PDB file of all heavy atoms in Angstrom:
ATOM      1  N   ARG A   1       6.972   1.310  -9.821  1.00  0.00           N
ATOM      2  CA  ARG A   1       7.530   2.214  -8.827  1.00  0.00           C
ATOM      3  C   ARG A   1       6.434   3.219  -8.459  1.00  0.00           C
ATOM      4  O   ARG A   1       5.572   3.524  -9.277  1.00  0.00           O
ATOM      5  CB  ARG A   1       8.763   2.946  -9.368  1.00  0.00           C
ATOM      6  CG  ARG A   1       9.933   2.034  -9.631  1.00  0.00           C
ATOM      7  CD  ARG A   1      11.098   2.821 -10.238  1.00  0.00           C
ATOM      8  NE  ARG A   1      11.616   3.825  -9.308  1.00  0.00           N
ATOM      9  CZ  ARG A   1      12.577   3.572  -8.388  1.00  0.00           C
ATOM     10  NH1 ARG A   1      13.100   2.371  -8.305  1.00  0.00           N
ATOM     11  NH2 ARG A   1      13.003   4.518  -7.605  1.00  0.00           N
ATOM     12  N   MET A   2       6.476   3.724  -7.257  1.00  0.00           N
ATOM     13  CA  MET A   2       5.451   4.648  -6.788  1.00  0.00           C
ATOM     14  C   MET A   2       6.044   5.991  -6.493  1.00  0.00           C
ATOM     15  O   MET A   2       7.139   6.096  -5.877  1.00  0.00           O
ATOM     16  CB  MET A   2       4.753   4.084  -5.541  1.00  0.00           C
ATOM     17  CG  MET A   2       3.621   4.982  -5.038  1.00  0.00           C
ATOM     18  SD  MET A   2       2.631   4.220  -3.728  1.00  0.00           S
ATOM     19  CE  MET A   2       3.819   4.193  -2.386  1.00  0.00           C
ATOM     20  N   SER A   3       5.371   7.047  -6.915  1.00  0.00           N
ATOM     21  CA  SER A   3       5.809   8.419  -6.639  1.00  0.00           C
ATOM     22  C   SER A   3       4.689   9.165  -5.968  1.00  0.00           C
ATOM     23  O   SER A   3       3.553   9.225  -6.487  1.00  0.00           O
ATOM     24  CB  SER A   3       6.181   9.116  -7.970  1.00  0.00           C
ATOM     25  OG  SER A   3       6.639  10.433  -7.723  1.00  0.00           O
ATOM     26  N   LEU A   4       4.952   9.714  -4.777  1.00  0.00           N
ATOM     27  CA  LEU A   4       3.929  10.412  -3.992  1.00  0.00           C
ATOM     28  C   LEU A   4       4.377  11.849  -3.756  1.00  0.00           C
ATOM     29  O   LEU A   4       5.454  12.113  -3.288  1.00  0.00           O
ATOM     30  CB  LEU A   4       3.717   9.727  -2.638  1.00  0.00           C
ATOM     31  CG  LEU A   4       3.183   8.279  -2.654  1.00  0.00           C
ATOM     32  CD1 LEU A   4       3.006   7.793  -1.224  1.00  0.00           C
ATOM     33  CD2 LEU A   4       1.889   8.187  -3.439  1.00  0.00           C
ATOM     34  N   GLY A   5       3.503  12.758  -4.095  1.00  0.00           N
ATOM     35  CA  GLY A   5       3.759  14.179  -3.877  1.00  0.00           C
ATOM     36  C   GLY A   5       2.531  14.990  -4.235  1.00  0.00           C
ATOM     37  O   GLY A   5       1.526  14.460  -4.706  1.00  0.00           O
ATOM     38  N   ASP A   6       2.576  16.255  -3.978  1.00  0.00           N
ATOM     39  CA  ASP A   6       1.503  17.158  -4.375  1.00  0.00           C
ATOM     40  C   ASP A   6       2.082  18.510  -4.744  1.00  0.00           C
ATOM     41  O   ASP A   6       3.301  18.660  -4.897  1.00  0.00           O
ATOM     42  CB  ASP A   6       0.421  17.266  -3.297  1.00  0.00           C
ATOM     43  CG  ASP A   6       0.937  17.829  -1.977  1.00  0.00           C
ATOM     44  OD1 ASP A   6       2.026  18.484  -1.994  1.00  0.00           O
ATOM     45  OD2 ASP A   6       0.289  17.643  -0.954  1.00  0.00           O
ATOM     46  N   ARG A   7       1.231  19.499  -4.843  1.00  0.00           N
ATOM     47  CA  ARG A   7       1.655  20.820  -5.279  1.00  0.00           C
ATOM     48  C   ARG A   7       2.620  21.454  -4.305  1.00  0.00           C
ATOM     49  O   ARG A   7       3.446  22.291  -4.674  1.00  0.00           O
ATOM     50  CB  ARG A   7       0.404  21.701  -5.449  1.00  0.00           C
ATOM     51  CG  ARG A   7       0.676  23.029  -6.143  1.00  0.00           C
ATOM     52  CD  ARG A   7      -0.635  23.738  -6.408  1.00  0.00           C
ATOM     53  NE  ARG A   7      -0.443  25.002  -7.077  1.00  0.00           N
ATOM     54  CZ  ARG A   7      -1.406  25.793  -7.494  1.00  0.00           C
ATOM     55  NH1 ARG A   7      -2.665  25.434  -7.272  1.00  0.00           N
ATOM     56  NH2 ARG A   7      -1.181  26.929  -8.114  1.00  0.00           N
ATOM     57  N   ASN A   8       2.533  21.046  -3.033  1.00  0.00           N
ATOM     58  CA  ASN A   8       3.347  21.664  -1.962  1.00  0.00           C
ATOM     59  C   ASN A   8       4.604  20.905  -1.636  1.00  0.00           C
ATOM     60  O   ASN A   8       5.494  21.447  -0.965  1.00  0.00           O
ATOM     61  CB  ASN A   8       2.492  21.846  -0.711  1.00  0.00           C
ATOM     62  CG  ASN A   8       1.269  22.681  -0.951  1.00  0.00           C
ATOM     63  OD1 ASN A   8       1.356  23.762  -1.549  1.00  0.00           O
ATOM     64  ND2 ASN A   8       0.111  22.227  -0.469  1.00  0.00           N
ATOM     65  N   PHE A   9       4.727  19.651  -2.086  1.00  0.00           N
ATOM     66  CA  PHE A   9       5.886  18.836  -1.740  1.00  0.00           C
ATOM     67  C   PHE A   9       6.454  18.162  -3.000  1.00  0.00           C
ATOM     68  O   PHE A   9       5.710  17.682  -3.870  1.00  0.00           O
ATOM     69  CB  PHE A   9       5.481  17.727  -0.747  1.00  0.00           C
ATOM     70  CG  PHE A   9       5.147  18.276   0.628  1.00  0.00           C
ATOM     71  CD1 PHE A   9       3.842  18.606   0.930  1.00  0.00           C
ATOM     72  CD2 PHE A   9       6.124  18.464   1.567  1.00  0.00           C
ATOM     73  CE1 PHE A   9       3.528  19.079   2.183  1.00  0.00           C
ATOM     74  CE2 PHE A   9       5.821  18.939   2.840  1.00  0.00           C
ATOM     75  CZ  PHE A   9       4.513  19.262   3.145  1.00  0.00           C
ATOM     76  N   ARG A  10       7.771  18.140  -3.065  1.00  0.00           N
ATOM     77  CA  ARG A  10       8.433  17.419  -4.147  1.00  0.00           C
ATOM     78  C   ARG A  10       8.059  15.961  -4.064  1.00  0.00           C
ATOM     79  O   ARG A  10       7.985  15.359  -2.989  1.00  0.00           O
ATOM     80  CB  ARG A  10       9.962  17.609  -4.020  1.00  0.00           C
ATOM     81  CG  ARG A  10      10.749  16.867  -5.091  1.00  0.00           C
ATOM     82  CD  ARG A  10      12.235  16.972  -4.858  1.00  0.00           C
ATOM     83  NE  ARG A  10      12.659  18.363  -4.837  1.00  0.00           N
ATOM     84  CZ  ARG A  10      13.915  18.751  -4.541  1.00  0.00           C
ATOM     85  NH1 ARG A  10      14.812  17.826  -4.225  1.00  0.00           N
ATOM     86  NH2 ARG A  10      14.238  20.024  -4.559  1.00  0.00           N
ATOM     87  N   ALA A  11       7.841  15.327  -5.221  1.00  0.00           N
ATOM     88  CA  ALA A  11       7.446  13.913  -5.257  1.00  0.00           C
ATOM     89  C   ALA A  11       8.544  13.031  -4.635  1.00  0.00           C
ATOM     90  O   ALA A  11       9.727  13.264  -4.843  1.00  0.00           O
ATOM     91  CB  ALA A  11       7.168  13.484  -6.686  1.00  0.00           C
ATOM     92  N   VAL A  12       8.079  12.071  -3.844  1.00  0.00           N
ATOM     93  CA  VAL A  12       9.005  11.084  -3.233  1.00  0.00           C
ATOM     94  C   VAL A  12       8.879   9.794  -4.049  1.00  0.00           C
ATOM     95  O   VAL A  12       7.780   9.280  -4.224  1.00  0.00           O
ATOM     96  CB  VAL A  12       8.649  10.817  -1.752  1.00  0.00           C
ATOM     97  CG1 VAL A  12       9.580   9.762  -1.166  1.00  0.00           C
ATOM     98  CG2 VAL A  12       8.691  12.121  -0.962  1.00  0.00           C
ATOM     99  N   ASP A  13       9.996   9.285  -4.565  1.00  0.00           N
ATOM    100  CA  ASP A  13      10.007   8.070  -5.378  1.00  0.00           C
ATOM    101  C   ASP A  13      10.266   6.874  -4.503  1.00  0.00           C
ATOM    102  O   ASP A  13      11.247   6.822  -3.738  1.00  0.00           O
ATOM    103  CB  ASP A  13      11.075   8.181  -6.471  1.00  0.00           C
ATOM    104  CG  ASP A  13      10.755   9.266  -7.491  1.00  0.00           C
ATOM    105  OD1 ASP A  13       9.554   9.417  -7.812  1.00  0.00           O
ATOM    106  OD2 ASP A  13      11.685   9.925  -7.966  1.00  0.00           O
ATOM    107  N   PHE A  14       9.396   5.881  -4.621  1.00  0.00           N
ATOM    108  CA  PHE A  14       9.510   4.619  -3.860  1.00  0.00           C
ATOM    109  C   PHE A  14       9.776   3.466  -4.800  1.00  0.00           C
ATOM    110  O   PHE A  14       9.180   3.371  -5.886  1.00  0.00           O
ATOM    111  CB  PHE A  14       8.222   4.339  -3.084  1.00  0.00           C
ATOM    112  CG  PHE A  14       7.946   5.280  -1.942  1.00  0.00           C
ATOM    113  CD1 PHE A  14       7.234   6.451  -2.130  1.00  0.00           C
ATOM    114  CD2 PHE A  14       8.418   4.993  -0.662  1.00  0.00           C
ATOM    115  CE1 PHE A  14       6.962   7.298  -1.081  1.00  0.00           C
ATOM    116  CE2 PHE A  14       8.138   5.832   0.385  1.00  0.00           C
ATOM    117  CZ  PHE A  14       7.427   6.997   0.178  1.00  0.00           C
ATOM    118  N   SER A  15      10.663   2.585  -4.378  1.00  0.00           N
ATOM    119  CA  SER A  15      10.842   1.306  -5.063  1.00  0.00           C
ATOM    120  C   SER A  15      10.192   0.218  -4.208  1.00  0.00           C
ATOM    121  O   SER A  15      10.130   0.323  -2.985  1.00  0.00           O
ATOM    122  CB  SER A  15      12.310   0.988  -5.268  1.00  0.00           C
ATOM    123  OG  SER A  15      13.008   0.915  -4.031  1.00  0.00           O
ATOM    124  N   ILE A  16       9.703  -0.834  -4.857  1.00  0.00           N
ATOM    125  CA  ILE A  16       9.047  -1.918  -4.139  1.00  0.00           C
ATOM    126  C   ILE A  16      10.069  -2.984  -3.788  1.00  0.00           C
ATOM    127  O   ILE A  16      10.629  -3.629  -4.666  1.00  0.00           O
ATOM    128  CB  ILE A  16       7.891  -2.490  -4.961  1.00  0.00           C
ATOM    129  CG1 ILE A  16       6.840  -1.419  -5.203  1.00  0.00           C
ATOM    130  CG2 ILE A  16       7.262  -3.691  -4.254  1.00  0.00           C
ATOM    131  CD1 ILE A  16       5.689  -1.844  -6.059  1.00  0.00           C
ATOM    132  N   ASP A  17      10.333  -3.126  -2.486  1.00  0.00           N
ATOM    133  CA  ASP A  17      11.344  -4.113  -2.034  1.00  0.00           C
ATOM    134  C   ASP A  17      10.761  -5.531  -1.934  1.00  0.00           C
ATOM    135  O   ASP A  17      11.434  -6.510  -2.207  1.00  0.00           O
ATOM    136  CB  ASP A  17      11.889  -3.712  -0.679  1.00  0.00           C
ATOM    137  CG  ASP A  17      12.592  -2.357  -0.709  1.00  0.00           C
ATOM    138  OD1 ASP A  17      13.123  -2.001  -1.782  1.00  0.00           O
ATOM    139  OD2 ASP A  17      12.577  -1.658   0.328  1.00  0.00           O
ATOM    140  N   ALA A  18       9.489  -5.618  -1.527  1.00  0.00           N
ATOM    141  CA  ALA A  18       8.871  -6.940  -1.369  1.00  0.00           C
ATOM    142  C   ALA A  18       7.372  -6.792  -1.490  1.00  0.00           C
ATOM    143  O   ALA A  18       6.811  -5.742  -1.184  1.00  0.00           O
ATOM    144  CB  ALA A  18       9.247  -7.539   0.009  1.00  0.00           C
ATOM    145  N   ILE A  19       6.728  -7.870  -1.953  1.00  0.00           N
ATOM    146  CA  ILE A  19       5.266  -7.873  -2.073  1.00  0.00           C
ATOM    147  C   ILE A  19       4.790  -9.292  -1.786  1.00  0.00           C
ATOM    148  O   ILE A  19       5.429 -10.268  -2.186  1.00  0.00           O
ATOM    149  CB  ILE A  19       4.843  -7.420  -3.489  1.00  0.00           C
ATOM    150  CG1 ILE A  19       3.315  -7.406  -3.618  1.00  0.00           C
ATOM    151  CG2 ILE A  19       5.478  -8.274  -4.557  1.00  0.00           C
ATOM    152  CD1 ILE A  19       2.834  -6.792  -4.911  1.00  0.00           C
ATOM    153  N   GLN A  20       3.720  -9.364  -1.048  1.00  0.00           N
ATOM    154  CA  GLN A  20       3.168 -10.692  -0.732  1.00  0.00           C
ATOM    155  C   GLN A  20       1.644 -10.634  -0.724  1.00  0.00           C
ATOM    156  O   GLN A  20       1.068  -9.609  -0.393  1.00  0.00           O
ATOM    157  CB  GLN A  20       3.678 -11.214   0.602  1.00  0.00           C
ATOM    158  CG  GLN A  20       3.247 -10.384   1.805  1.00  0.00           C
ATOM    159  CD  GLN A  20       3.648 -11.015   3.107  1.00  0.00           C
ATOM    160  OE1 GLN A  20       3.691 -12.249   3.224  1.00  0.00           O
ATOM    161  NE2 GLN A  20       3.965 -10.200   4.123  1.00  0.00           N
ATOM    162  N   MET A  21       1.054 -11.778  -1.109  1.00  0.00           N
ATOM    163  CA  MET A  21      -0.407 -11.881  -1.043  1.00  0.00           C
ATOM    164  C   MET A  21      -0.749 -12.380   0.373  1.00  0.00           C
ATOM    165  O   MET A  21      -0.255 -13.398   0.806  1.00  0.00           O
ATOM    166  CB  MET A  21      -0.929 -12.832  -2.109  1.00  0.00           C
ATOM    167  CG  MET A  21      -2.459 -12.812  -2.146  1.00  0.00           C
ATOM    168  SD  MET A  21      -3.256 -13.948  -3.339  1.00  0.00           S
ATOM    169  CE  MET A  21      -2.018 -14.238  -4.563  1.00  0.00           C
ATOM    170  N   LEU A  22      -1.604 -11.657   1.038  1.00  0.00           N
ATOM    171  CA  LEU A  22      -2.027 -12.031   2.378  1.00  0.00           C
ATOM    172  C   LEU A  22      -3.061 -13.152   2.304  1.00  0.00           C
ATOM    173  O   LEU A  22      -3.819 -13.236   1.328  1.00  0.00           O
ATOM    174  CB  LEU A  22      -2.584 -10.826   3.113  1.00  0.00           C
ATOM    175  CG  LEU A  22      -1.596  -9.669   3.306  1.00  0.00           C
ATOM    176  CD1 LEU A  22      -2.282  -8.485   3.991  1.00  0.00           C
ATOM    177  CD2 LEU A  22      -0.379 -10.098   4.076  1.00  0.00           C
ATOM    178  N   PRO A  23      -3.125 -13.994   3.325  1.00  0.00           N
ATOM    179  CA  PRO A  23      -4.088 -15.105   3.288  1.00  0.00           C
ATOM    180  C   PRO A  23      -5.517 -14.621   3.285  1.00  0.00           C
ATOM    181  O   PRO A  23      -5.830 -13.529   3.799  1.00  0.00           O
ATOM    182  CB  PRO A  23      -3.750 -15.898   4.573  1.00  0.00           C
ATOM    183  CG  PRO A  23      -3.075 -14.910   5.461  1.00  0.00           C
ATOM    184  CD  PRO A  23      -2.307 -14.003   4.540  1.00  0.00           C
ATOM    185  N   LYS A  24      -6.385 -15.457   2.742  1.00  0.00           N
ATOM    186  CA  LYS A  24      -7.804 -15.109   2.733  1.00  0.00           C
ATOM    187  C   LYS A  24      -8.335 -15.070   4.153  1.00  0.00           C
ATOM    188  O   LYS A  24      -7.908 -15.846   5.009  1.00  0.00           O
ATOM    189  CB  LYS A  24      -8.600 -16.147   1.908  1.00  0.00           C
ATOM    190  CG  LYS A  24      -8.321 -16.087   0.421  1.00  0.00           C
ATOM    191  CD  LYS A  24      -9.208 -17.074  -0.302  1.00  0.00           C
ATOM    192  CE  LYS A  24      -9.015 -17.016  -1.803  1.00  0.00           C
ATOM    193  NZ  LYS A  24      -9.882 -17.991  -2.531  1.00  0.00           N
ATOM    194  N   ILE A  25      -9.280 -14.182   4.375  1.00  0.00           N
ATOM    195  CA  ILE A  25      -9.928 -14.084   5.664  1.00  0.00           C
ATOM    196  C   ILE A  25     -10.987 -15.170   5.778  1.00  0.00           C
ATOM    197  O   ILE A  25     -11.768 -15.353   4.846  1.00  0.00           O
ATOM    198  CB  ILE A  25     -10.547 -12.699   5.879  1.00  0.00           C
ATOM    199  CG1 ILE A  25      -9.489 -11.614   5.821  1.00  0.00           C
ATOM    200  CG2 ILE A  25     -11.341 -12.649   7.190  1.00  0.00           C
ATOM    201  CD1 ILE A  25     -10.043 -10.207   5.891  1.00  0.00           C
ATOM    202  N   ILE A  26     -11.004 -15.903   6.892  1.00  0.00           N
ATOM    203  CA  ILE A  26     -12.035 -16.880   7.132  1.00  0.00           C
ATOM    204  C   ILE A  26     -13.213 -16.182   7.843  1.00  0.00           C
ATOM    205  O   ILE A  26     -13.143 -15.933   9.048  1.00  0.00           O
ATOM    206  CB  ILE A  26     -11.514 -18.043   7.993  1.00  0.00           C
ATOM    207  CG1 ILE A  26     -10.241 -18.636   7.382  1.00  0.00           C
ATOM    208  CG2 ILE A  26     -12.590 -19.118   8.155  1.00  0.00           C
ATOM    209  CD1 ILE A  26     -10.442 -19.168   5.966  1.00  0.00           C
ATOM    210  N   PHE A  27     -14.201 -15.831   7.049  1.00  0.00           N
ATOM    211  CA  PHE A  27     -15.302 -15.032   7.607  1.00  0.00           C
ATOM    212  C   PHE A  27     -16.243 -15.899   8.459  1.00  0.00           C
ATOM    213  O   PHE A  27     -16.437 -17.094   8.176  1.00  0.00           O
ATOM    214  CB  PHE A  27     -16.095 -14.380   6.490  1.00  0.00           C
ATOM    215  CG  PHE A  27     -15.390 -13.248   5.830  1.00  0.00           C
ATOM    216  CD1 PHE A  27     -14.730 -13.406   4.604  1.00  0.00           C
ATOM    217  CD2 PHE A  27     -15.356 -11.981   6.416  1.00  0.00           C
ATOM    218  CE1 PHE A  27     -14.057 -12.361   4.013  1.00  0.00           C
ATOM    219  CE2 PHE A  27     -14.671 -10.937   5.823  1.00  0.00           C
ATOM    220  CZ  PHE A  27     -14.024 -11.124   4.628  1.00  0.00           C
ATOM    221  N   GLN A  28     -16.776 -15.256   9.483  1.00  0.00           N
ATOM    222  CA  GLN A  28     -17.777 -15.872  10.341  1.00  0.00           C
ATOM    223  C   GLN A  28     -19.038 -14.968  10.293  1.00  0.00           C
ATOM    224  O   GLN A  28     -18.963 -13.821   9.916  1.00  0.00           O
ATOM    225  CB  GLN A  28     -17.270 -16.000  11.777  1.00  0.00           C
ATOM    226  CG  GLN A  28     -15.995 -16.808  11.902  1.00  0.00           C
ATOM    227  CD  GLN A  28     -16.188 -18.247  11.499  1.00  0.00           C
ATOM    228  OE1 GLN A  28     -17.254 -18.832  11.676  1.00  0.00           O
ATOM    229  NE2 GLN A  28     -15.142 -18.851  10.935  1.00  0.00           N
ATOM    230  N   PRO A  29     -20.206 -15.514  10.683  1.00  0.00           N
ATOM    231  CA  PRO A  29     -21.423 -14.723  10.631  1.00  0.00           C
ATOM    232  C   PRO A  29     -21.316 -13.418  11.421  1.00  0.00           C
ATOM    233  O   PRO A  29     -21.829 -12.369  11.000  1.00  0.00           O
ATOM    234  CB  PRO A  29     -22.483 -15.639  11.233  1.00  0.00           C
ATOM    235  CG  PRO A  29     -21.997 -16.998  10.933  1.00  0.00           C
ATOM    236  CD  PRO A  29     -20.483 -16.931  11.065  1.00  0.00           C
ATOM    237  N   THR A  30     -20.607 -13.442  12.545  1.00  0.00           N
ATOM    238  CA  THR A  30     -20.399 -12.211  13.347  1.00  0.00           C
ATOM    239  C   THR A  30     -18.911 -12.026  13.543  1.00  0.00           C
ATOM    240  O   THR A  30     -18.226 -12.955  13.996  1.00  0.00           O
ATOM    241  CB  THR A  30     -21.101 -12.295  14.693  1.00  0.00           C
ATOM    242  OG1 THR A  30     -22.522 -12.395  14.503  1.00  0.00           O
ATOM    243  CG2 THR A  30     -20.811 -11.034  15.542  1.00  0.00           C
ATOM    244  N   MET A  31     -18.395 -10.866  13.170  1.00  0.00           N
ATOM    245  CA  MET A  31     -16.969 -10.563  13.307  1.00  0.00           C
ATOM    246  C   MET A  31     -16.768  -9.121  13.741  1.00  0.00           C
ATOM    247  O   MET A  31     -17.645  -8.284  13.550  1.00  0.00           O
ATOM    248  CB  MET A  31     -16.230 -10.820  11.986  1.00  0.00           C
ATOM    249  CG  MET A  31     -16.207 -12.271  11.543  1.00  0.00           C
ATOM    250  SD  MET A  31     -15.280 -12.559  10.034  1.00  0.00           S
ATOM    251  CE  MET A  31     -13.604 -12.258  10.614  1.00  0.00           C
TER     252      MET A  31
END
């Protein structure tokens, strides 16, 4: 789970609904 906040803001708690691995990039000499 992820919690984001700082000294000025109360931490916001996030749950992860979905996660996926993105496909590999097919690199070319110039992109």
Side-chain angles (χ1 to χ4, degrees):
R1 294 177 64 89
M2 182 171 68
S3 181
L4 297 182
D6 61 19
R7 191 173 181 177
N8 300 314
F9 291 91
R10 179 185 300 175
V12 179
D13 294 323
F14 290 90
S15 60
I16 298 178
D17 298 332
I19 181 172
Q20 64 174 327
M21 188 182 336
L22 299 178
K24 291 184 178 180
I25 298 174
I26 307 301
F27 287 100
Q28 302 297 328
T30 298
M31 295 183 68

